[in-house]
Amino acid sequence: MYNLVLKDLKLGVNPWFFILPLILGGLMLIPGWVYFLVPLYFCFITVPNMFGGFKSQNDLIFSTMMPVTKPDIVKSRIAVIVILELMHLLIAMIFSIFTFRLYPQMTYIFFPPYMGFWGLCFIMLAVFNLIFITMYYKTAYKYGAATTASTAAAILFAGLVQWAGIQNSWMHGIFYGSGTGNAALQFSILIGGILIFAAFTLLAYRIAVRRFLKVEIL
């Protein structure tokens, strides 16, 4: 599997997608912006272009000609997705540190990028992974509908929690009010988001393997 991951990172993924997280991370420096959009750009830009590249390169046929199993093919592709997702999130988190230093008195309409917010971002990408990966591996080459459905679900999640953060006093307190100063609470939300991300991605892997084993490759 390790060699499959290297194959994707070196040959399948355009180098531009390793630079993109650095560029998009800079959007965190926009004061009071909708910071959910930063990780969502992974869904908007990286996934459709990357999987379109895999399809145009006949990557599926090439991978099945190698001495590897179908579960390894799925596992390596998911590993590449997760690596890129973590790059987007971790770089954006680093930029968010400078956001607070640049705008210490900022009044936020949308979620400020405290640790709890990043926990929500992990959950958002967990929802994306669960839908995209499971839908994609029904065929292992049709990515359009999977991208559309998973991106729509991620946007819906972001929109609902953002609405709740503004309208619900309990949520508002956690992400805007006194809860932002509670390091233990914020860290717990972050860890909870990471655990959900890991659980959903693992579940997506298991469903994807079952579906991919039924795919006949000509």
Side-chain angles (χ1 to χ4, degrees):
M1 192 203 81
Y2 175 74
N3 289 330
L4 283 173
V5 174
L6 286 182
K7 184 265 293 179
D8 279 353
L9 294 177
K10 291 182 177 181
L11 301 177
V13 181
N14 191 307
W16 163 251
F17 296 123
F18 298 111
I19 300 171
L20 192 60
L22 291 169
I23 298 172
L24 295 177
L27 296 175
M28 294 301 303
L29 301 179
I30 300 175
W33 202 49
V34 186
Y35 296 125
F36 266 129
L37 286 173
V38 176
L40 274 174
Y41 277 120
F42 170 80
C43 310
F44 298 154
I45 300 174
T46 302
V47 169
N49 284 283
M50 183 171 70
F51 278 82
F54 288 140
K55 186 176 181 179
S56 66
Q57 297 162 7
N58 289 319
D59 180 80
L60 178 60
I61 301 297
F62 177 70
S63 296
T64 54
M65 292 173 63
M66 300 171 67
V68 294
T69 64
K70 280 187 171 181
D72 280 343
I73 293 173
V74 176
K75 190 183 298 182
S76 64
R77 185 57 47 83
I78 293 176
V80 171
I81 292 172
V82 170
I83 287 170
L84 290 171
E85 286 174 334
L86 293 179
M87 285 182 64
H88 277 266
L89 287 175
L90 293 176
I91 291 173
M93 290 170 75
I94 292 170
F95 272 98
S96 70
I97 297 172
F98 296 98
T99 302
F100 287 122
R101 292 184 177 273
L102 287 171
Y103 318 111
Q105 304 302 321
M106 172 65 63
T107 299
Y108 291 92
I109 298 175
F110 303 105
F111 281 134
Y114 292 101
M115 283 190 291
F117 165 76
W118 295 112
L120 295 178
C121 287
F122 272 103
I123 298 173
M124 180 180 70
L125 290 180
V127 171
F128 175 85
N129 286 351
L130 181 61
I131 296 174
F132 175 78
I133 293 167
T134 55
M135 285 187 65
Y136 174 73
Y137 276 102
K138 284 183 177 180
T139 62
Y141 67 91
K142 292 181 180 179
Y143 63 91
T147 303
T148 301
S150 54
T151 301
I155 293 172
L156 180 62
F157 171 84
L160 287 175
V161 295
Q162 180 61 82
W163 177 83
I166 295 172
Q167 297 294 325
N168 183 275
S169 59
W170 179 72
M171 284 279 288
H172 192 277
I174 292 174
F175 294 99
Y176 292 88
S178 60
T180 59
N182 188 333
L185 174 62
Q186 293 292 311
F187 185 70
S188 297
I189 297 171
L190 174 60
I191 295 300
I194 293 172
L195 291 176
I196 292 172
F197 175 82
F200 275 37
T201 304
L202 179 60
L203 176 61
Y205 163 72
R206 291 180 174 176
I207 296 173
V209 167
R210 289 202 301 268
R211 290 181 171 180
F212 189 41
L213 287 173
K214 298 177 183 177
V215 174
E216 294 184 7
I217 302 169
L218 300 178

